[in-house]
Amino acid sequence: MFRRATYADADDMAKIYNQAMKPDTFALSQIAPDTPNERVAWLREHQDPFPAFVYEIENSKVIGWCSLSRFSVRPEYTDVAETSRYIDENHRGKGLGKLMLSHLVEAATNLGFRLLVLRSYERNTRSLRSANPFFRRVAVLHEAACIQGEWHNDVWLWKKLR
Ligand SMILES: CC(C)(COP(=O)(O)OP(=O)(O)OC[C@H]1O[C@@H](n2cnc3c(N)ncnc32)[C@H](O)[C@@H]1OP(=O)(O)O)[C@@H](O)C(=O)NCCC(=O)NCCS
């Protein structure tokens, strides 16, 4: 089940995020891994209207998290939020990513957002395929990101909520 992320989730969230740095995942190009302290600071900024959620299974085990973030600091974009999702590597490819998007769409709608944006590297096929039922592909920034010395295309997906 989904619940709001709390500071006590920072360790689990950092661990799951850092798994996404593995080379064959094509999700992140971070050089320094996330730390629980950095995740606490990030959580401090993820209050409404930009919430973070964790997904818990039995024994309160957290196996993933997702969030809405500010798309731009410019005032004309206040109705737009960006989605993020990170799932423990042992629980990917089983539909949780789609469940997260459905949860984020509902949360964003309730919070009054007008548009959602999802960005993904083109080689992150799991991310793009799981977003397919919800989002429309609207732009590609070719060779925008360098991961381990290789240039990657940055795909932008869009969903209109109202
Ligand atoms: C991206 C992520 C959130 C997607 O969640 P998920 O639970 O794995 O995805 P789902 O099970 O909902 O959907 C996966 C889709 O990819 C397909 N898939 C499954 N395993 C795959 C694999 N090894 N390679 C490519 N596609 C795969 C599935 O068939 C499904 O597509 P379909 O619905 O057309 O059949 C998750 O994989 C993850 O946390 N990855 C690491 C972090 C990350 O990349 N975050 C996103 C940054 S943009």
Side-chain angles (χ1 to χ4, degrees), residues 49-121:
F50 299 108
F53 302 93
V54 292
Y55 190 83
E56 252 182 16
I57 55 171
E58 62 275 7
N59 302 324
S60 307
K61 184 176 164 49
V62 169
I63 60 161
W65 60 270
C66 58
S67 61
L68 296 175
S69 296
R70 188 183 300 280
F71 171 71
S72 168
V73 290
R74 288 170 53 171
E76 61 270 40
Y77 294 107
T78 47
D79 284 355
V80 187
E82 186 170 344
T83 63
S84 298
R85 300 169 295 159
Y86 292 92
I87 297 172
D88 181 285
E89 57 196 356
N90 298 312
H91 294 272
R92 293 181 195 153
K94 297 173 185 167
L96 180 52
K98 284 193 268 289
L99 200 62
M100 283 181 169
L101 285 182
S102 151
H103 185 73
L104 290 176
V105 166
E106 191 186 332
T109 305
N110 292 338
L111 287 161
F113 285 105
R114 198 171 51 84
L115 295 183
L116 280 182
V117 171
L118 185 153
R119 290 173 54 184
S120 175
Y121 298 131

